[in-house]
Amino acid sequence: MWYIITDVPMKILKVNTAAATIEGAPQMVEKNRSEWTAEAKKKANLDNVERDILYKTLDKNMFAKIKTCTTAKEIWEKLTQLCEGNYQKKENKLMVAIQKFDNAKMKPGETLAEFDERFSGIIIELISLGKDYSNSEIALKVMRALPREWNVKTIAIRESKDLYKLELHDLFADLKAYEFELGIRTEEDPSTSQ
């Protein structure tokens, strides 16, 4: 049914027997509604079904912006324009996302799980805007974004792992294990509580 959204509403056609064929291809004309079969009626109704599906997914605010559209294709194009914007708006979004990536740092008091969620959100946003970083660029950025107390671990990761093959979730899994170890050592070692 995706073709209903990407193309114009389906037309029910028949061969025009009154017109001459051009280069062997028959000329097609729209059938009158009285000539439609049950299957043709279903096909003709697909645009209504698609519009209904799209309407049901929208809140009142967004619905108000597309309610004048007459086909599923028009609705989809309007939603795309509203959500993604034009070329300039996309470029601005990309620049902001790149700045978020460049400025990403683990905040004081932030857990690694929270940083993972926030950083992964930035990566997802960049990918959706068409910007792709290599595994090594992402891994190095994460390791540089960590506080100084992580230096020992990040150096060990750099020396022991192939950063070009290191996936983001694997990196965070290693770092979370280290965070867990640090937490246990801190609780057990009375000298760290002073």
Side-chain angles (χ1 to χ4, degrees), residues 7-109:
D7 299 331
V8 294
M10 186 175 290
K11 294 183 179 182
I12 309 302
L13 303 174
K14 67 178 182 178
V15 175
N16 184 1
T17 55
T21 61
I22 302 169
E23 296 180 18
Q27 182 184 15
M28 304 300 284
V29 293
E30 252 186 276
K31 277 187 181 181
N32 293 325
R33 286 187 184 258
S34 60
E35 300 175 290
W36 288 4
T37 64
E39 185 66 27
K41 289 176 185 176
K42 284 182 185 178
K43 286 181 182 178
N45 193 44
L46 287 176
D47 189 65
N48 294 332
V49 172
E50 289 295 328
R51 282 189 320 203
D52 187 52
I53 291 169
L54 290 170
Y55 289 155
K56 289 179 180 177
T57 62
L58 303 174
D59 62 18
K60 289 179 183 179
N61 182 36
M62 198 59 92
F63 178 77
K65 295 175 182 177
I66 58 93
K67 68 182 178 185
T68 58
C69 298
T70 57
T71 66
K73 181 180 174 123
E74 283 181 51
I75 293 169
W76 188 255
E77 288 171 351
K78 182 75 169 183
L79 289 172
T80 302
Q81 180 65 31
L82 290 169
C83 296
E84 292 182 7
N86 59 20
Y87 177 77
Q88 185 63 43
K89 188 174 179 181
K90 288 179 187 176
E91 284 297 309
N92 290 340
K93 285 181 180 181
L94 180 59
M95 285 186 349
V96 169
I98 290 171
Q99 285 177 339
K100 284 183 198 175
F101 177 83
D102 291 342
N103 297 330
K105 293 276 184 202
M106 190 170 173
K107 298 174 183 175

